[in-house]
Amino acid sequence: MTYARAVASSLFDWDTTTGFLPVDYTAPVLADADPSGEETPGLLIDVATYLPTLEQWLDLGAMEVAQSLAIDEASIPASWAVADEQARGQLRPGTTAVTINGTRRRSGTWDGTAAETSSPVSFTVFVACAPSFDRCHVLRLSELDNPLR
């Protein structure tokens, strides 16, 4: 669960005023992708949907937007046991799903006035850990707000 929480924070905790770009926030997640490379193409697509595009980032930067995620719950979804069973041994040992439920908070300026928003978010992080690997690696992410339950 700790690993999935760290992946979530890497994707959701960012600040457009630091000089970093979206790729700087996705780099740690992608650097820790499936060492076999099997899931990496899909993870690249998944990660791209979690952060603003470069054009959006620049627009948000003009408004000095920062975002954070307050994680309320990280748990193995009830449906994971069924999914694992249906995979009939096709998943690496140590592969699991962790569904994250939390609140995304954004702050910045709008027309010169401080502004804040918050909204619930949920998603699932698919990870592979021991015994397949010495440590955990991220495999895939569910569609945002469409997690396993």
Side-chain angles (χ1 to χ4, degrees):
M1 307 278 181
T2 301
Y3 180 79
R5 285 174 174 266
V7 170
S9 293
S10 292
L11 293 171
F12 279 86
D13 294 347
W14 48 258
D15 186 338
T16 61
T17 67
T18 62
F20 293 119
L21 297 173
V23 68
D24 297 309
Y25 291 96
T26 60
V29 174
L30 295 174
D32 217 26
D34 174 13
S36 75
E38 196 173 307
E39 299 291 343
T40 305
L43 182 61
L44 285 165
I45 293 166
D46 298 343
V47 166
T49 67
Y50 276 71
L51 273 90
T53 65
L54 183 56
E55 183 178 324
Q56 292 167 331
W57 187 266
L58 296 174
D59 290 342
L60 292 170
M63 295 180 279
E64 301 176 331
V65 174
Q67 176 178 279
S68 63
L69 176 66
I71 298 173
D72 300 321
E73 180 184 23
S75 60
I76 297 172
S79 64
W80 180 248
V82 174
D84 190 27
E85 184 179 306
Q86 289 176 345
R88 298 186 180 147
Q90 297 297 313
L91 298 176
R92 287 185 185 99
T95 297
T96 194
V98 178
T99 294
I100 305 285
N101 294 297
T103 303
R104 172 178 33 201
R105 293 189 172 90
R106 285 188 177 174
S107 62
T109 58
W110 182 257
D111 288 333
T113 304
E116 292 185 19
T117 63
S118 64
S119 60
V121 293
S122 58
F123 56 97
T124 302
V125 180
F126 298 89
V127 300
C129 302
S132 289
F133 301 112
D134 291 341
R135 60 181 184 78
C136 294
H137 294 277
V138 64
L139 301 176
R140 296 291 306 265
L141 303 168
S142 73
E143 180 181 30
L144 188 60
D145 294 328
N146 191 18
L148 290 183
R149 295 284 179 198

